[in-house]
Amino acid sequence: MTTQASQQATTRTRPPANQIDPRGPRFGAAITTVVLALILLFGPNSPIAALLLTIQILAFAAGAILGLQAQPYGWIYRTFVRPRLGPPSELEDQAPPRFAQAVGLVFGLAGAAGLLLGLDVLFYAAIAMALAAAFLNAAFNFCLGCEMYLLFKRIGVGRKPLTQS
Amino acid sequence: MNSAGIVALVAVLALATAFGLWRRRVDGKFNETKATSVAKEQHLTAGQLGQPLGDLATLVEFSSAFCAPCRATRKVLDRVVDDVHGIALIEIDAEQRLDLTRQFGVMRTPTVLILDSEGVVRHRAAGQPRYADVVGALGAVVPGASSTS
């Protein structure tokens, strides 16, 4: 019995604590899409855009650094939306959506840099990229950052000599 | 409101929608010509893969860490392996095996290759495939495979 139990424990590759309801990040992506769209519409000279961008950056940072439990949009989902829905048909590992939050954080910070330095092109480009990623996530359940990850890996190691067999 | 922001918003949403719809159409669809044209070397051995090939065919899934559809794909392929005899499933971490990732031009995960009994790449799909598509593609590689289950 004990060996069986320990075997089961070792064969389970991911602890349940890392498993999340996949609808949570998608709901969060919908909120992010709206917030980023408003930031674009208000533009780089608007204090409202600066406020919204600050909130969005903090949300990204919480999700990326502390984990999705700390992501405020995820909290909204768990508190107000999930009780009205049934239980999720399946759970999902939190690593991919958490990585997506980190990608969003990078774009958010780039947008903030554009805003602070008066580089409007940087502001628009960074917010537009983040918006595209969030929208694809919300509308198509597609994770742009996750796909970029492999491409960056391929480029990054491209400088090493190829070990051809 | 500023006009540059409105233009940027409309452009982003239009482009992203077009991209999303296109992806939805091609995702997980098996393609025979791509399988044979992209790869520089269209052959994989048990030694390269670190696991024995299946008697009739082998499913090779390229996965990566931050990839939710990879896990869903793994479940689909596990079901196929359970239902169809003589099929092996080998999951490859694309990051760990950049040699194979490059050799087969894998640009995204999940990418699924279907090898015949000799290890020759016969079919290929990028994105999460549906069960019926996997079985259908297997049927083209292994005559009779689709009727086994």
Side-chain angles (χ1 to χ4, degrees):
Chain A
M1 283 294 276
T2 24
T3 50
Q4 238 180 12
S6 66
Q7 259 182 355
Q8 272 183 344
T10 47
T11 49
R12 182 182 285 162
T13 46
R14 285 166 202 99
N18 272 336
Q19 300 284 307
I20 52 154
D21 180 348
R23 297 169 300 181
R26 210 166 160 186
F27 174 83
I31 297 185
T32 303
T33 301
V34 173
V35 172
L36 291 169
L38 288 173
I39 293 170
L40 270 189
L41 288 178
F42 280 106
N45 300 316
S46 157
I48 300 173
L51 176 68
L52 288 173
L53 184 52
T54 307
I55 293 170
Q56 185 58 54
I57 286 173
L58 290 175
F60 279 144
I65 297 163
L66 302 174
L68 294 175
Q69 296 83 359
Q71 220 278 359
Y73 305 160
W75 179 84
I76 294 173
Y77 171 78
R78 285 193 303 277
T79 311
F80 299 107
V81 183
R82 189 170 171 175
R84 292 156 197 273
L85 304 172
S89 56
E90 56 183 342
L91 295 176
E92 197 177 272
D93 197 281
Q94 82 153 285
R98 195 168 164 176
F99 176 73
Q101 293 286 301
V103 174
L105 178 62
V106 170
F107 282 117
L109 288 172
L115 201 146
L116 291 172
L117 301 172
L119 300 169
D120 286 4
V121 174
L122 176 60
F123 168 84
Y124 282 117
I127 302 299
M129 284 299 294
L131 173 64
F135 174 75
L136 283 170
N137 196 342
F140 296 97
N141 200 20
F142 173 79
C143 179
L144 189 65
C146 302
E147 295 214 353
M148 293 294 118
Y149 177 76
L150 181 63
L151 293 179
F152 280 124
K153 278 279 170 184
R154 284 187 57 156
I155 298 164
V157 194
R159 292 178 208 110
K160 270 192 195 171
L162 274 172
T163 46
Q164 269 302 4
S165 52
Chain B
M1 299 290 155
N2 69 107
S3 51
I6 294 168
V7 171
L9 178 62
V10 171
V12 166
L13 293 183
L15 284 173
T17 301
F19 179 76
L21 290 174
W22 170 69
R23 263 304 169 75
R24 184 178 276 179
R25 205 161 54 83
V26 299
D27 241 26
K29 296 288 184 292
F30 281 92
N31 192 323
E32 216 157 357
T33 50
K34 199 165 184 209
T36 44
S37 67
V38 168
K40 288 167 200 144
E41 196 171 307
Q42 305 151 20
H43 192 264
L44 274 167
T45 63
Q48 281 175 295
L49 292 167
Q51 284 178 57
L53 300 176
D55 289 337
L56 297 177
T58 305
L59 304 170
V60 178
E61 177 185 349
F62 287 84
S63 296
S64 58
F66 304 119
C67 171
C70 291
R71 278 152 207 165
T73 299
R74 173 71 198 240
K75 283 184 194 165
V76 170
L77 299 184
D78 276 335
R79 268 179 63 209
V80 172
V81 169
D82 285 345
D83 292 349
V84 186
H85 290 292
I87 310 295
L89 167 60
I90 300 175
E91 190 173 3
I92 290 178
D93 186 339
E95 269 178 75
Q96 304 282 322
R97 296 300 305 271
L98 283 168
D99 55 333
L100 295 179
T101 300
R102 289 219 184 78
Q103 185 183 345
F104 289 92
V106 174
M107 301 305 281
R108 50 187 292 232
T109 52
T111 289
V112 178
L113 307 177
I114 299 183
L115 317 182
D116 64 16
S117 55
E118 304 295 313
V120 176
V121 180
R122 297 284 300 276
H123 256 297
R124 174 192 182 108
Q128 183 183 337
R130 273 181 288 182
Y131 179 88
D133 289 337
V134 182
V135 173
L138 270 175
V141 174
V142 185
S146 51
S147 59
T148 319
S149 60

